Amino acid sequence: VKKAAERHLPKDVVWAEKRGFFVPEAWTQGLLALLRDGPLPDLLRWDARMRAELPGRLEQHPALRNRYVALEIWARLFARGDAPDAVA
């Protein structure tokens, strides 16, 4: 794919290191409530300290937000058995 892309894009773009993409904070505003009410903290056996530190960690590392959302959705569907409609 990269060889084909070289014909249409500059090589430095095609062969650049992978990087994440920006996710607006508004997209994850309900994340703390989602995690507080979901099964993920229990499945990962987060202690009280980890639960208390979570908002600060998400503030320091915004890329974690998407990962936690994906894990929470997975946990609700496959660990807890929620119906897909209930997760949406």
Side-chain angles (χ1 to χ4, degrees), residues 12-19:
D12 61 324
V13 171
V14 174
W15 297 99
E17 276 188 45
K18 287 184 174 184
R19 4 178 231 181

Side-chain angles (χ1 to χ4, degrees), residues 44-70:
L44 297 179
R45 297 186 177 148
W46 290 349
D47 60 16
R49 190 187 97 227
M50 175 59 184
R51 292 172 195 244
E53 291 176 355
L54 186 61
R57 287 178 191 236
L58 294 176
E59 185 69 32
Q60 290 175 335
H61 306 285
L64 290 176
R65 294 176 191 154
N66 286 356
R67 292 180 183 145
Y68 282 133
V69 168

